[in-house]
Amino acid sequence: MTDLAATVHDIARQMQHCEDRGRLPDYIPALAAGDLSKFGIAVALNDGTVVTGGDSEVRFSIQSISKVFTLTLSLGLFGDAIWRRVGKEPSGSAFNSIVQLEYENGIPRNPFINAGAIAIADALLASHEPRETIGEILHFIRMVANDEEIAIDPVIARSETATGFKNFALANYLAACGNLRNAPERALGVYFHQCAITMNCVQLARAGRYLSNGGVDPVTLRPIISSARARRINALMLTCGQYDGSGEFAFRVGLPAKSGVGGGILCVVPHVGAVAVWSPGLNERGNSQLGSIALEELATRQRWSVFG
Ligand code: GLN
């Protein structure tokens, strides 16, 4: 067994015995029924090796991790024009907060808070049918993961549509400020479905590898995005990827990463590969409790922090 495999197995075993496993999100009924005992991890190295531990093959809702892929897609389609609609600064507030949006005239702080991701979903929608845009996003994620099995869980999409009152408020506020081109329910149709995509840790880690390799999938050699843009997506993941917990995460882990309320975190290790962790219990910032601890442990033991 390599050192990395031993470390990953160790971490998975350690996580099984953790007592404080965080809390399930209660505002999306379909996610409130998660199983706190689960923990999975997959490390996909750029040489093609994949090292796994725990429940690495169990699918979960990727939720806000999808925002990394829609940002990539929108940069490819619209280039820097996208930055007229969303900013590049950490928000320092909760992922679904509306407060800053009013102060800052409907320009969301960054593409990873909900308001920013809804604006990106609206840009991708252009004037197409939501169904087509949802299909394009799914196609893109299947392509970067090199896996045609990835799908959307319609139960989760419906559950969030029924209770997503804050997201409706954000979309309406964006519309009121002229930062939404489509009707709020159409932009949200795209957003809720991208969040309801389900993947396991292995699929997710593979899908994130292009960000660790200058925008090119290191295994298929498919160019996904320019290296300058991959670098910038990583910068935003580091500064904004864990919402108001991004500073603490940079301090503890020191790697670009994006979390989702489904309990997943996708983490990029530049020039090495990508890591996906999953455990459905969340900390007070809405990021996976065990996932964050596991990444801190892994980055520390492997000396992977971008800060040396
Ligand atoms: N779909 C979730 C929401 O809109 C995504 C939030 C998250 O994963 N942090 O609330």
Side-chain angles (χ1 to χ4, degrees):
M1 201 188 284
T2 64
D3 285 355
L4 175 63
T7 303
V8 166
H9 286 145
D10 239 35
I11 291 172
R13 210 178 24 239
Q14 212 178 307
M15 292 305 116
Q16 259 168 11
H17 298 113
C18 261
E19 284 187 4
D20 180 4
R21 307 185 77 83
R23 293 190 44 198
L24 292 164
D26 47 16
Y27 76 104
I28 304 176
L31 294 183
D35 177 355
L36 285 178
S37 72
K38 299 281 190 224
F39 172 83
I41 179 167
V43 182
L45 299 175
N46 287 349
D47 68 5
T49 315
V50 179
V51 179
T52 63
D55 301 301
S56 61
E57 308 257 343
V58 179
R59 290 179 190 227
F60 57 89
S61 176
I62 66 168
Q63 292 291 319
S64 288
I65 302 169
S66 64
K67 296 170 183 174
V68 172
F69 303 117
T70 53
L71 175 62
T72 306
L73 200 48
S74 69
L75 280 169
L77 287 169
F78 311 115
D80 289 340
I82 208 74
W83 304 120
R84 288 203 284 269
R85 298 190 59 181
V86 293
K88 311 180 194 86
E89 296 296 339
S91 70
S93 36
F95 60 88
N96 52 10
S97 170
I98 199 166
V99 177
Q100 271 167 348
L101 202 55
E102 180 168 9
Y103 282 127
E104 297 176 4
N105 305 313
I107 306 295
R109 274 278 168 122
N110 66 65
F112 295 150
I113 51 173
N114 288 11
I118 295 167
I120 301 268
D122 178 68
L124 290 175
L125 182 52
S127 48
H128 300 291
E129 282 306 308
R131 197 174 359 97
E132 290 168 349
T133 304
I134 294 162
E136 277 165 12
I137 294 170
L138 187 59
H139 175 78
F140 180 76
I141 293 182
R142 284 175 173 169
M143 193 244 313
V144 291
N146 206 17
D147 191 328
E148 289 299 310
E149 304 279 291
I150 294 165
I152 293 172
D153 183 335
V155 176
I156 293 176
R158 267 200 300 278
S159 178
E160 214 182 333
T161 309
T163 58
F165 304 114
K166 287 195 181 174
N167 287 321
F168 278 97
L170 292 169
N172 277 292
Y173 205 85
L174 288 168
C177 296
N179 197 6
L180 208 71
R181 311 277 186 272
N182 300 274
E185 59 277 13
R186 288 165 66 85
L188 288 173
V190 174
Y191 175 75
F192 290 143
H193 282 83
Q194 73 178 65
C195 289
I197 290 172
T198 60
M199 293 169 80
N200 62 33
C201 288
V202 176
Q203 291 168 324
L204 196 54
R206 285 197 174 121
R209 257 185 320 209
Y210 70 93
L211 290 169
S212 73
N213 189 49
V216 177
D217 186 311
V219 174
T220 62
L221 301 182
R222 205 178 258 150
I224 309 294
I225 197 161
S226 74
S227 63
R229 288 193 175 132
R231 194 162 58 239
R232 288 173 174 155
I233 295 168
N234 287 336
L236 288 170
M237 288 171 78
L238 185 92
T239 52
C240 314
Q242 317 290 304
Y243 312 111
D244 45 341
S246 299
E248 177 90 13
F249 190 88
F251 185 84
R252 290 183 180 278
V253 182
L255 291 168
K258 182 74 208 81
S259 63
V261 286
I265 306 178
L266 171 62
C267 184
V268 177
V269 191
H271 312 298
V272 174
V275 185
V277 287
W278 169 65
S279 181
L282 308 178
N283 63 22
E284 64 289 351
R285 313 276 194 202
N287 304 317
S288 176
Q289 164 87 358
L290 296 189
S292 308
I293 297 173
L295 286 172
E296 180 178 1
E297 189 72 25
L298 181 65
T300 306
R301 285 171 66 167
Q302 295 296 122
R303 299 180 198 275
W304 275 345
S305 165
V306 294
F307 300 108

